[in-house]
Amino acid sequence: MDPTVHDVARRANVSISTVSRVLNNSAPVSEDKRRRVLQAVEDLQFTPNPAARSLLGQATGTIGAILPHITGEFFADLLSGLDEGIKQHEYLLMVSASRRLEHDFIAALQGMYKRVDGLVIMAPELSAERVLTLTGSSVPVVFLNTHSTTPGMLSVNFNNRDGMVKIARHIADRGHKRAAYIGGPSDAFDAQERQQGFLETVPDGLKVMPYSGDFSFECGYKNGQKILNSSPRPTVIVAANDLSALGAMRALLENGISVPDEIAVTGFDGTRSAHFSTPSLTTVNVPIGQLAANAVELLVNQLSNESPYESPEKPAELELIVRESSSKKY
Amino acid sequence: MDPTVHDVARRANVSISTVSRVLNNSAPVSEDKRRRVLQAVEDLQFTPNPAARSLLGQATGTIGAILPHITGEFFADLLSGLDEGIKQHEYLLMVSASRRLEHDFIAALQGMYKRVDGLVIMAPELSAERVLTLTGSSVPVVFLNTHSTTPGMLSVNFNNRDGMVKIARHIADRGHKRAAYIGGPSDAFDAQERQQGFLETVPDGLKVMPYSGDFSFECGYKNGQKILNSSPRPTVIVAANDLSALGAMRALLENGISVPDEIAVTGFDGTRSAHFSTPSLTTVNVPIGQLAANAVELLVNQLSNESPYESPEKPAELELIVRESSSKKY
DNA sequence: GAATTGTGAGCGCTCACAATT
DNA sequence: GAATTGTGAGCGCTCACAATT
């Protein structure tokens, strides 16, 4: 059996409340007893049972994250940013992937009930309001890349719309006249914002053929095959994210079509694969690791009441990164 | 204030133990009262407080994972496999990255104390024995890709050594006479096994120049630059993992050196980047997602006592995948 | 007497308050 | 009287046992 405060108290010859006081520094304790307690803790390898603490309404020391996915470069970077931020404040991280399914999302939420002090939630297929209905405002929540209409919510966003506006201007600059647009999941607000940004910005002389996708490599690949066989063939493929752009590029290269000489390709997210693919991929950089760390920072501030009403900042502006895949003038 | 069993009991006009019985199906309850309890639970949106439950020595419903890293394709796939397996058994996942530092590893372990029912641990830079000294055998542990000399431990491994033996034979077959070997972290047993497998298998006529690395893209890139300027230049670069192989390949391509015509390159891990890089990368496939799911399966079995003494299987055999990057005969 | 129900103790802590120096 | 210490209750549950039908 693991030792408890009673064991420590007995060994140090003090009462359990003295042990508690030493452990939490919650009241002055004589130097003599403090030393004995610490010695006993050391001897017994005592660690307080977190369940007992959280039962008393204390913090659990854990932060939960619910994300659409856990795999893939984008989410790995996101997770890494969360982990970094959480370590800095000595919290623990509990994660769950919703797979973009409301059922899984609710299951994750219920699972984390009373197990976490706060939540970082990315749910572009839901809205912040919908999520709050589900959480019942029992814990502080910071939203990441999630649509919200209510002001004053804690959230970290980035400007999906404007990022894609930059792509649209760029390919217009390059003289393209026919573009294929590979979209993201239709229920995801970030995918919608990107698509709108694109469609609203392209000049009249640039014809857009939309293809539906889901942010996956596979959808990019399949759409790429369709696109290269379409007629008249577009001169550029604009994908809603890097992964599907790389899929499309793969389809083109496998069929001997040169990028960017015959068809240009662009992505979105700024993943490392986009940097190191051949040809390297033009994209919009989303510093998701940093943004995730910011979200943790906001949440921790909220939890420690240091700045209980931190107003949410504007969505982060994203930078266009032009690379080989769209370097040719048409 | 969130509702408790008392609130439910009051509303259903029963005692709290009847509520508990309905919730846990631990004893027969009359149909009438059962219905009333369930109705009250529904009305009040009651969810039992997990802290109270785990205080009674009950399961926490959480599985912890401590991994060297959380980012990168390999670990993202690993994490995804864990998440998949854990969801299947309705557990929650708590994760922490040790960054290969013993200090961080211990911190993660302490943080998870009494918060998890079991642990999946990957610590190639430590050993299973060292880890068990630290955990103090207070929770069941399943090891993943971690060195162990004690038989009977729960572990999931894969044959790093043999995987690299296959690479060595392959490049000998291709007629190479000079190879550069980019290693992994020297304290990591998987990196050691791979390097040994390679060095012990290459024929006498094949000269090997070792370069030290750390499994990162950057180390591959830097070593790649060194290698291409070395004289006599090797005809093949064998990297301890895909990421560093891709880094090396990048350095070669940037300097106008053709792969595989001038220098061949091989990796290890079987990541998707290896599949889709240009040229595609010869590698050894490590089905890490599947292996991670197996580890969860083992752990869950152990926790449910279904097969309390499952003997560990042999390390999984890995498959060589020959692709463009080593397709040329020398 | 068998089925169902309720009462009370206790898991390991922290906090208010009383008791001790 | 001020500083330090201990006692007892209680957080929200489950389980053993007693009490009820």
Side-chain angles (χ1 to χ4, degrees), chain B:
Chain B
M1 206 47 213
D2 291 316
T4 73
V5 274
H6 289 98
D7 301 316
V8 175
R10 200 171 313 123
R11 187 170 241 266
N13 211 21
V14 297
S15 74
I16 58 163
S17 52
T18 297
V19 174
S20 173
R21 280 189 271 263
V22 172
L23 255 38
N24 301 287
N25 251 309
S26 50
V29 173
S30 70
E31 201 38 56
D32 174 43
K33 298 205 172 181
R34 151 167 273 114
R35 236 196 307 274
R36 268 151 55 201
V37 169
L38 292 175
Q39 184 62 51
V41 165
E42 177 71 26
D43 292 348
L44 299 170
Q45 292 262 53
F46 171 75
T47 310
N49 187 326
R53 280 185 161 168
S54 57
L55 193 52
L56 292 157
Q58 303 268 116
T60 63
T62 305
I63 285 176
I66 307 181
L67 312 172
H69 298 283
I70 242 177
T71 204
E73 218 178 309
F74 181 83
F75 289 103
D77 287 349
L78 163 36
L79 219 47
S80 191
L82 288 179
D83 185 58
E84 204 85 351
I86 277 168
K87 275 222 172 58
Q88 217 143 81
H89 297 281
E90 304 210 309
Y91 277 89
L92 282 163
L93 174 61
M94 194 173 256
V95 286
S96 202
S98 71
R99 318 182 206 185
R100 295 188 184 272
L101 302 173
E102 185 157 319
H103 168 267
D104 282 30
F105 187 87
I106 292 173
L109 219 45
Q110 281 186 340
M112 293 189 185
Y113 173 75
K114 294 262 180 189
R115 276 181 237 256
V116 299
D117 298 336
L119 286 167
V120 173
I121 290 182
M122 170 164 166
E125 74 284 5
L126 303 173
S127 67
E129 288 73 19
R130 175 86 188 110
V131 169
L132 286 186
T133 315
L134 298 172
T135 61
S137 73
S138 55
V139 283
V141 179
V142 172
F143 292 99
L144 182 59
N145 188 35
T146 301
H147 183 64
S148 150
T149 48
T150 321
M153 277 183 181
L154 293 177
S155 62
V156 173
N157 282 293
F158 43 90
N159 204 328
N160 287 293
R161 198 185 170 289
D162 189 58
M164 203 49 107
V165 165
K166 288 176 180 167
I167 291 275
R169 292 207 184 113
H170 167 64
I171 67 156
D173 265 10
R174 285 286 188 264
H176 290 281
K177 296 284 177 266
R178 288 186 310 281
Y181 185 90
I182 303 179
S186 57
D187 59 349
F189 105 105
D190 51 355
Q192 291 164 6
E193 286 197 337
R194 291 177 193 181
Q195 185 149 3
Q196 283 164 16
F198 185 74
L199 296 177
E200 289 169 18
T201 308
V202 286
D204 290 340
L206 204 162
K207 203 184 154 209
V208 179
M209 287 147 278
Y211 290 78
S212 61
D214 59 5
F215 282 159
S216 72
F217 187 94
E218 286 71 23
C219 85
Y221 185 79
K222 281 179 196 152
N223 279 318
Q225 290 178 317
K226 277 190 223 161
I227 292 165
L228 68 89
N229 288 319
S230 66
S231 162
R233 207 149 76 180
T235 57
V236 59
I237 297 177
V238 174
N241 73 338
D242 285 351
L243 206 52
S244 52
L246 291 169
M249 201 151 81
R250 182 75 196 170
L252 299 179
L253 295 175
E254 278 185 3
N255 286 276
I257 295 174
S258 158
V259 178
D261 292 337
E262 295 176 72
I263 303 186
V265 178
T266 68
F268 202 112
D269 279 347
T271 54
R272 126 185 271 143
S273 308
H275 193 170
F276 295 120
S277 64
T278 309
S280 57
L281 182 68
T282 292
T283 188
V284 170
N285 187 47
V286 179
I288 191 63
Q290 185 55 52
L291 295 171
N294 293 352
V296 171
E297 207 65 30
L298 259 181
L299 184 56
V300 169
N301 272 350
Q302 177 78 189
L303 292 176
S304 59
N305 262 339
E306 267 171 25
S307 45
Y309 211 79
E310 180 118 2
S311 69
E313 297 145 41
K314 283 194 186 168
E317 289 308 319
L318 306 178
E319 191 196 353
L320 175 71
I321 303 177
V322 178
R323 298 212 184 90
E324 296 163 5
S325 69
S326 68
S327 56
K328 197 194 144 200
K329 273 267 186 191
Y330 277 76

Side-chain angles (χ1 to χ4, degrees), chain A residues 60 87 92 97 115 218 272, chain B residues 60 87 97 111 115 218 272:
Chain A
T60 62
K87 274 221 173 58
L92 283 164
R115 277 181 236 255
E218 287 71 24
R272 127 182 270 144
Chain B
T60 63
K87 275 222 172 58
R115 276 181 237 256
E218 286 71 23
R272 126 185 271 143

